[in-house]
Amino acid sequence: MDINNLCPNCMNEMSGGGCPSCGYRADAPQDNSHALKPYTILSGKYLVGNVIGEGGFGITYIGFDLNLEIKIAVKEFYPNGFVTRESDVTSMVTGYTTNDPEQYGKWKDSFIREARNLAKFSNLPGIVHVRDFFQENNTAYIIMEYVEGETLKGYLKGRREPLSVEETLEMMRPVIRSLSKVHEAGIIHRDISPDNIMIQKGGDIKLIDFGAAREFEAG
């Protein structure tokens, strides 16, 4: 497989200078100077593509597992305002000298611990599956299944009428049941919203982006 023929925007094969699947152009400007450059390879087997989401503590990229030859999502620990990176020069993340490196280490350890905990629930329906996690480039990464489809936010925006209570409960039941198992293990998502719920082509629902998840102790 020639990875240079993979579209960094959708990970389908490109033709010439563009992608027939998503319309991406190879000469399209990149405006994320702090994000990993497309075609970066992590852990010797995960190809990084374009950014598909960014929050206060992380950047999510579309990716490709070079061993299994499947699309993936790559979540990078990147606490905005606490670290920096010039991706044209290096993939390494560096902390601002005015910030506390010990605090950064604690956040990174927590990020990895949450990935380890969530990986235990990869058999549950309605929740994005964690495939791998590791540390590299002075930061940490979570490899997750890539969920194709439409966000609940986009789906609702395209509907003429709002969902009924019955439709909503039927749609969300797999997510609710799986979340109850996750909560029993002491993990809460903390960012459930229509932006983080994907409707797949077959109609199945997946809750994605556990980047804000935190452990808690029942009192």
Side-chain angles (χ1 to χ4, degrees):
M1 174 187 295
D2 184 357
I3 62 174
N4 293 311
N5 283 338
L6 288 176
C7 171
N9 199 57
C10 69
M11 291 298 161
N12 292 320
E13 284 196 44
M14 294 219 296
S15 176
C19 178
S21 298
C22 71
Y24 175 83
R25 298 292 304 174
D27 56 1
Q30 300 295 321
D31 57 1
N32 258 328
S33 61
H34 63 282
L36 287 170
K37 289 180 71 67
Y39 301 106
T40 297
I41 296 179
L42 299 173
S43 193
K45 57 185 175 180
Y46 301 121
L47 180 73
V48 175
N50 287 347
V51 174
I52 56 177
E54 185 169 358
F57 277 82
I59 305 173
T60 303
Y61 310 82
I62 188 172
F64 194 79
D65 186 319
L66 297 173
N67 286 344
L68 299 178
E69 297 190 355
I70 58 173
K71 295 180 187 181
I72 53 172
V74 180
K75 181 85 173 185
E76 179 181 44
F77 176 63
Y78 192 96
N80 194 21
F82 207 90
V83 297
T84 185
R85 172 174 51 211
E86 290 295 330
S87 58
D88 285 336
V89 179
T90 179
S91 296
M92 293 289 291
V93 168
T94 57
Y96 290 115
T97 56
T98 54
N99 288 326
D100 182 4
E102 185 177 346
Q103 181 61 61
Y104 175 76
K106 289 180 179 178
W107 284 340
K108 186 172 66 171
D109 290 344
S110 177
F111 182 85
I112 287 293
R113 186 169 61 251
E114 288 151 16
R116 182 178 292 111
N117 287 335
L118 287 171
K120 299 173 184 176
F121 302 101
S122 290
N123 62 326
L124 294 178
I127 293 179
V128 67
H129 296 168
V130 173
R131 297 184 179 275
D132 195 5
F133 52 90
F134 54 92
Q135 298 189 51
E136 194 172 318
N137 297 327
N138 194 36
T139 187
Y141 299 89
I142 302 174
I143 305 301
M144 300 174 290
E145 68 170 318
Y146 180 71
V147 181
E148 297 194 68
E150 182 181 23
T151 65
L152 179 57
K153 181 178 181 179
Y155 173 75
L156 293 175
K157 191 174 182 180
R159 281 179 59 96
R160 294 183 179 180
E161 299 177 353
L163 288 172
S164 67
V165 174
E166 291 78 13
E167 288 175 312
T168 302
L169 288 175
E170 181 64 26
M171 177 183 289
M172 294 300 297
R173 188 169 284 114
V175 175
I176 293 170
R177 287 175 174 170
S178 294
L179 275 177
S180 69
K181 299 291 186 183
V182 175
H183 289 169
E184 287 174 7
I187 302 173
I188 53 176
H189 187 282
R190 301 205 318 167
D191 191 23
I192 298 174
S193 71
D195 286 314
N196 286 332
I197 296 173
M198 294 291 294
I199 302 177
Q200 297 174 278
K201 292 180 181 179
D204 292 336
I205 300 294
K206 287 273 188 178
L207 178 62
I208 63 173
D209 196 358
F210 273 78
R214 289 290 181 272
E215 295 174 274
F216 74 98
E217 294 182 1

